[in-house]
Amino acid sequence: MSAREAAHAEVVRLLQAAEDEAYAWLRVVQRDAERRRRGSATAGDLSDDPEYSDVLAAFVAIGDVLAHVRRLGA
């Protein structure tokens, strides 16, 4: 494996780990948001929760970057 291939593989590995961690974070935030919604008579849809929406956007962004990096190495 060349140095370039090894570097690419390492970036993919790190981004996969980041995606896994972001998913775990998203699940925690999701549970908290659902708990808040159950406790409020006026709560809207989960997607209306700003914290959940922001963490979801971060998770999606990491996935997008990972997909882009994978395409670069193909």
Side-chain angles (χ1 to χ4, degrees), residues 49-69:
D49 185 278
E51 182 184 18
Y52 175 79
S53 294
D54 287 345
V55 175
L56 178 60
F59 171 71
V60 169
I62 292 168
D64 290 346
V65 170
L66 177 56
H68 183 76
V69 169

Side-chain angles (χ1 to χ4, degrees), residues 1-24:
M1 177 182 295
S2 71
R4 180 179 176 164
E5 291 168 328
H8 178 263
E10 180 65 5
V11 170
V12 169
R13 185 190 70 75
L14 291 169
L15 285 170
Q16 286 173 328
E19 186 179 49
D20 291 345
E21 291 298 322
Y23 180 74

Side-chain angles (χ1 to χ4, degrees), residues 19-65:
E19 186 179 49
D20 291 345
E21 291 298 322
Y23 180 74
W25 179 33
L26 178 63
R27 296 290 297 152
V28 169
V29 170
Q30 179 182 8
R31 284 192 294 274
D32 288 348
E34 288 172 344
R35 195 173 305 118
R36 283 192 302 273
R37 281 184 47 230
R38 283 193 298 271
S40 171
T42 61
D45 188 53
L46 184 60
S47 63
D48 294 332
D49 185 278
E51 182 184 18
Y52 175 79
S53 294
D54 287 345
V55 175
L56 178 60
F59 171 71
V60 169
I62 292 168
D64 290 346
V65 170

